[in-house]
Amino acid sequence: MAGTLYLVPTPIGNLGDISRRAAETFARVDFIAAEDTRVTLKLLNHLELKKPLMSYYRHNTGEAGQQVLSRLLSGESCALCTDAGTPAISDPGEDLVALCAANDVPVVSIPGPCALVTALAVSGLPTARFVFEGFLPMNRKNRRARLETLAGEERTMLFYEAPHKLTATLSDLSAAFGAERRVSLCRELTKLHEEVIRTTLGQAAERYKAEPPRGEFVLVVEGAPFWAEEDFTLEDGLERVHILLEQGLSRKDAVRQAAKELGLSRNELYAAALEG
Ligand code: SAM
């Protein structure tokens, strides 16, 4: 019988975030496939664990993936981890999960630290509907083309970015979505210098032009306004409330959001929603 592949998330900065289940999984498996074995060795030392390690990183996923698969098929169990956060999310792992799925090897995903979810939750921007864009293309032309496709995106958007590219990315985001669009820059999450800067794209681009940023960032960008500006009636408001209720918002939150989006009185819309 095939062994199991466990996807084990690791801290994104604060070692205290390693879960008991993650540590127990490392202790139980036959071997660990790690993005950088030196980084994982430090974590294992912290957990006082010893375990055979092999390297599974972006440039060897083909060959190393086959090695992991054959060991799994022979009955060994494996924990896959990356340097920080959840494997397979803008990190190696996606291909290995697909390979296991294609070969009927069980895969268990253990919940844990993930920069995008941590940032979304603290952003202060709408969380009910969001889209994760990962890293934008490196090439400026491709990056702008990608951003163009997102011009009308109404959901909150999340981007990963390396600090040395942040200034250029903020200016591209501002050009694509408008300088007034709100953004939360979530920096060094879970670390000593954790910071959440809630501002606009224009102000953020200006701020970092003068002072290049340090540390790791997730950018959480407000979605496009739901509808173009025009005069909306209470009936339009009720329709929007209905859609938001179906999306899982509470009545109070649905009314608050619909009133804000359509420029209606929250009290009047709430009263109408209670009647309807
Ligand atoms: N798989 C990881 C996860 O689940 O979060 C993401 C890995 S991706 C290669 C690294 C990117 O995640 C960084 O460039 C940054 O955008 C974001 N990131 C990771 N740790 C972070 C932190 N402590 N604070 C803010 N962003 C972080």
Side-chain angles (χ1 to χ4, degrees):
M1 207 177 96
T4 298
L5 175 72
Y6 295 91
L7 307 175
V8 182
T10 54
I12 57 169
N14 187 327
L15 276 181
D17 291 335
I18 189 82
S19 73
R20 184 184 296 181
R21 189 171 170 216
E24 283 168 2
T25 304
F26 281 140
R28 194 159 17 97
V29 291
D30 294 304
F31 70 103
I32 298 172
E35 182 180 17
D36 184 335
T37 52
R38 292 161 305 180
V39 173
T40 302
L41 193 58
K42 278 191 200 149
L43 180 64
L44 294 178
N45 288 339
H46 169 76
L47 298 170
E48 297 180 356
L49 292 173
K50 278 198 164 52
K51 202 50 74 172
L53 285 164
M54 68 169 276
S55 173
Y56 179 86
Y57 64 102
R58 196 153 57 101
H59 298 296
N60 79 346
T61 52
E63 195 188 325
Q66 287 301 331
Q67 283 172 23
V68 174
L69 178 67
S70 76
R71 291 179 72 169
L72 286 163
L73 288 173
S74 74
E76 287 188 77
S77 57
C78 171
L80 174 72
C81 67
T82 60
D83 293 350
T86 300
I89 306 299
S90 292
D91 257 349
E94 182 182 348
D95 296 347
L96 187 56
V97 174
L99 194 62
C100 287
N103 287 276
D104 291 328
V105 171
V107 182
V108 171
S109 176
I110 296 178
C114 183
L116 87 98
V117 178
T118 312
L120 177 66
V122 78
S123 68
L125 293 169
T127 59
R129 296 167 69 235
F130 65 91
V131 55
F132 174 55
E133 283 290 321
F135 290 97
L136 284 166
M138 304 254 260
N139 168 293
R140 195 151 212 193
K141 191 166 157 248
N142 295 345
R143 197 161 70 221
R144 287 188 174 159
R146 182 90 200 93
L147 289 175
E148 256 172 48
T149 69
L150 293 169
E153 178 56 65
E154 290 163 1
R155 294 170 292 183
T156 298
M157 292 169 275
L158 288 105
F159 302 90
Y160 282 166
E161 195 48 288
H164 65 281
K165 288 198 240 116
L166 193 83
T167 309
T169 297
L170 284 171
S171 103
D172 287 350
L173 286 170
S174 180
F177 302 148
E180 292 310 311
R181 189 74 75 85
R182 290 189 295 161
V183 61
S184 294
L185 296 105
C186 303
R187 176 174 168 267
E188 295 286 88
L189 292 168
T190 78
K191 301 185 193 174
L192 187 63
H193 298 294
E194 168 165 343
E195 187 180 21
V196 180
I197 303 154
R198 299 183 182 90
T199 179
T200 61
L201 286 171
Q203 281 173 359
E206 201 51 44
R207 170 179 176 155
Y208 288 115
K209 210 189 278 173
E211 170 211 337
R214 289 208 183 147
E216 297 196 276
F217 282 85
V218 179
L219 304 178
V220 189
V221 181
E222 179 181 36
F226 181 65
W227 276 319
E229 286 199 6
E230 53 179 273
D231 285 337
F232 291 106
T233 62
L234 270 182
E235 245 174 51
D236 295 323
L238 286 174
E239 252 180 59
R240 179 68 182 136
V241 167
H242 186 66
I243 291 170
L244 292 168
L245 286 173
E246 281 186 345
Q247 286 170 6
L249 265 67
S250 68
R251 181 152 55 193
K252 199 169 148 214
D253 287 343
V255 167
R256 185 187 301 135
Q257 186 169 324
K260 193 173 158 211
E261 286 175 357
L262 307 187
L264 297 170
S265 147
R266 196 195 305 176
N267 288 344
E268 280 178 31
L269 187 56
Y270 196 76
L274 281 179
E275 275 173 29

